[in-house]
Amino acid sequence: MRQWLSPSSDDVISLISENLQQVQTRIHEACLVANRSPSDVQLLAVSKTKPIEDVARAMAAGQRHFGENYLQDAIPKVLALPDACWHFIGQIQSNKTRDIATHFDFVHGVASEKVATRLNAQRPDDKLPLRVFVQINLVDEATKSGVEPKALPALVDHIQQLSRLEFMGLMAIPPQSFGQQARRDFFIGLRQLLEQLPAHPETGPAKNLSMGMSDDLETAIACGATWVRIGSAIFGARRTPGETI
Ligand SMILES: *Cc1c(COP(=O)(O)O)cnc(C)c1O
């Protein structure tokens, strides 16, 4: 990692580390308000579109989990920084499953049995099972991917039978047009879907909710998020602000 840090990058290091600290403080305060333990909420730093150097800076400030959604952008970062924990958060095309299964530790967004079957078959034996969140389409938006709530139990059951996958919980992205109250209802809907799933006979109920981004992490934490996916509040605006893919 050292090789990605040059002395002239000190200012940016401190900006990213300050941003990280602010986000950690927001998470902490949201947990206090919600009467939850801050250790129950993990921070996923979304580094999509940002250079390797910025990821190295965040690592130098103590951040371990990073999210990426463009495979071509992500793979060089994953190869350069193997000590980080890498999460794939983008749309999954079936012809990309091998790269995802090979290079990532977590996937936020499995939405079909076909993709789950392929990820399982392609997960290398020398790695831990790939940890997967199932992405839900809660508002039936044509543009958003995700499984329909009525198809969720069958998909989860399928994933739990695959030995190279570990089912973590659910993930969803509210429409950008939603205000905080609509987001709250959306996040509560996601939590209720998780709570309605039957417990796994050995590992018990799945507990994870991947929900909340830079603009709504407090609302998501109030509704039970265990992973918040934060990009711009840590790394600054992307070329297209608010872009999610
Ligand atoms: C880009 C992205 C994020 C981060 O969004 P910010 O608003 O920058 O925090 C979170 N989740 C997904 C799936 C994304 O694509």
Side-chain angles (χ1 to χ4, degrees), residues 29-89:
E29 284 172 1
C31 286
L32 289 184
V33 169
N35 209 6
R36 300 181 57 198
S37 164
S39 62
D40 290 345
V41 180
Q42 305 280 322
L43 173 56
L44 174 56
V46 176
S47 49
K48 65 186 183 192
T49 79
K50 299 295 177 181
I52 293 173
E53 290 79 0
D54 284 5
V55 181
R57 286 167 186 137
M59 285 183 80
Q63 179 62 29
R64 275 284 153 290
H65 293 272
F66 295 93
E68 289 282 335
N69 67 346
Y70 300 104
L71 262 182
Q72 271 179 322
D73 272 9
I75 290 173
K77 299 184 207 178
V78 174
L79 296 176
L81 299 170
D83 292 341
C85 195
W86 291 98
H87 298 235
F88 188 77
I89 61 171

Side-chain angles (χ1 to χ4, degrees), residues 2-3 30 36 45 57 60-61 65-66 72 94 114 117 124-125 140 155-157 187 191-192 222 227 232:
R2 284 270 132 218
Q3 64 185 304
R36 300 181 57 198
R57 286 167 186 137
H65 293 272
F66 295 93
Q72 271 179 322
S94 332
K114 180 181 171 196
T117 301
D125 286 335
D140 201 25
L155 177 56
V156 171
D157 185 58
F187 292 144
R191 186 181 73 206
Q192 286 169 344
W227 284 87
S232 46

